[in-house]
Amino acid sequence: MAERRGRAFVEQRRRTILNILAEEGRVGVAALAERLGVSQLTLRRDLSELEARGQVARRYGEASLAGATEGEERPGGGAPFEAEKAAIARAAAELVSEHELLFINTSSTALALVPHITAHGVTVVTNSALAHELPIPPNGMILVTGGEIRPPRGVLSGEFALANVRSVSATTCFVGCEGISTVTGITSTTQQEATVNSLMVERSDRMVILADSSKLGVAAGFTYAPLDRVSLLITDTGATDEDVEILLEAGIHEIRRVAP
């Protein structure tokens, strides 16, 4: 079982590498290893295997998709997992009940659920400085935590944001992440963002993670919740039966897979 589990998460990590390269083009090996929370030796093994499959090209300490050129667009256009993220957001919005008080973090997938909320009287509390671009739920409102703005995603963090989060008791927090690992739990790429996410989780009755399948098996550096705190993970059908089994055994209470 342990060996099978290890193989599954290695393949998930390799799919994540391909996803990152498709989105960003050429990426340095050191930066990529740090982002994935693995050693450079482990990453080089992954890249060697992907190179042997004809999927990745390496040059001067960097990696890119095989055959990719600078500025080349992803086939079909759009960001990687765009359709999957949209389906996940729609499924999450169906869980929202009337007059709920929600935390939503700065995850693009989590924020994407707001336009699909049909329940009345819902209050959304978010630490996204981009909240002004979101439609207000029917007869509801959107509250912004305030705080220090961290570009480019408009993350609001710091003590001002934390003080406002502490004053709220939410029914549900809908949060995205950079990685879900059986070793490190639910992770974010920055300490400041992880701190706010962690407090949102603490101040909520229920935690729902919205994460496409590329995030499974990835450790992104800063843990903000253990797996057994996750009431529900909504992901896409790229998550295999084996992935689901592993994550349920590790503590996640329920997993729902949605098709794009």
Side-chain angles (χ1 to χ4, degrees):
M1 173 64 73
E3 182 181 354
R4 181 162 58 90
R5 177 180 302 173
R7 287 199 304 271
F9 278 99
V10 166
E11 286 306 313
Q12 283 287 3
R13 186 174 65 243
R14 289 171 180 173
R15 288 197 293 271
T16 299
I17 291 170
L18 294 175
N19 178 37
I20 292 171
L21 296 180
E23 183 175 8
E24 301 181 14
R26 189 174 295 276
V27 180
V29 170
L32 190 55
E34 181 178 0
R35 183 166 175 177
L36 295 173
V38 298
S39 69
Q40 291 188 39
L41 179 60
T42 296
L43 181 64
R44 287 193 173 93
R45 289 196 193 104
D46 288 339
L47 293 175
S48 294
E49 174 60 27
L50 293 171
E51 191 173 33
R53 297 177 190 175
Q55 295 175 292
V56 162
R58 289 189 289 174
R59 185 181 182 187
Y60 304 128
E62 295 181 323
S64 63
L65 291 182
T69 58
E70 290 295 328
E72 182 179 5
E73 293 185 0
R74 182 173 180 257
F81 287 88
E82 184 175 10
E84 289 84 352
K85 291 177 180 179
I88 291 167
R90 289 192 298 270
E94 294 175 0
L95 302 176
V96 179
S97 301
E98 294 200 348
H99 304 293
E100 271 205 271
L101 176 56
L102 311 176
F103 277 128
I104 296 179
N105 72 347
T106 58
S107 157
S108 59
T109 308
L111 291 169
L113 78 87
V114 176
H116 299 289
I117 294 174
T118 57
H120 284 247
V122 173
T123 298
V124 172
V125 180
T126 180
N127 65 322
S128 172
L130 307 180
H132 67 280
E133 300 176 0
L134 298 172
I136 297 174
N139 304 122
M141 67 175 68
I142 296 176
L143 301 176
V144 181
T145 64
E148 303 167 11
I149 299 178
R150 294 183 176 274
R153 293 191 298 114
V155 176
L156 295 168
S157 61
E159 188 51 45
F160 193 88
L162 293 171
N164 286 321
V165 172
R166 288 190 194 99
S167 70
V168 177
S169 295
T171 49
T172 306
C173 63
F174 290 99
V175 288
C177 63
E178 288 298 322
I180 300 176
S181 166
T182 57
V183 177
T184 57
I186 311 300
T187 56
S188 177
T189 53
T190 69
Q191 180 271 329
Q192 294 86 356
E193 190 169 3
T195 300
V196 177
N197 290 345
S198 180
L199 187 58
M200 285 184 171
V201 171
E202 179 184 325
R203 300 292 302 172
S204 302
D205 296 331
R206 177 176 64 158
M207 176 186 182
V208 179
I209 284 284
L210 312 183
D212 65 73
S213 56
S214 73
K215 306 293 179 64
L216 307 184
V218 175
F222 296 91
T223 299
Y224 71 84
L227 294 189
D228 61 8
R229 184 66 174 86
V230 180
S231 301
L232 172 65
L233 163 63
I234 305 178
T235 188
D236 59 78
T237 50
T240 65
D241 290 343
E242 189 172 35
D243 295 332
V244 171
E245 178 186 351
I246 290 168
L247 291 171
L248 289 173
E249 287 181 357
I252 291 180
H253 295 275
E254 181 183 355
I255 297 175
R256 186 175 305 176
R257 290 176 285 184
V258 296

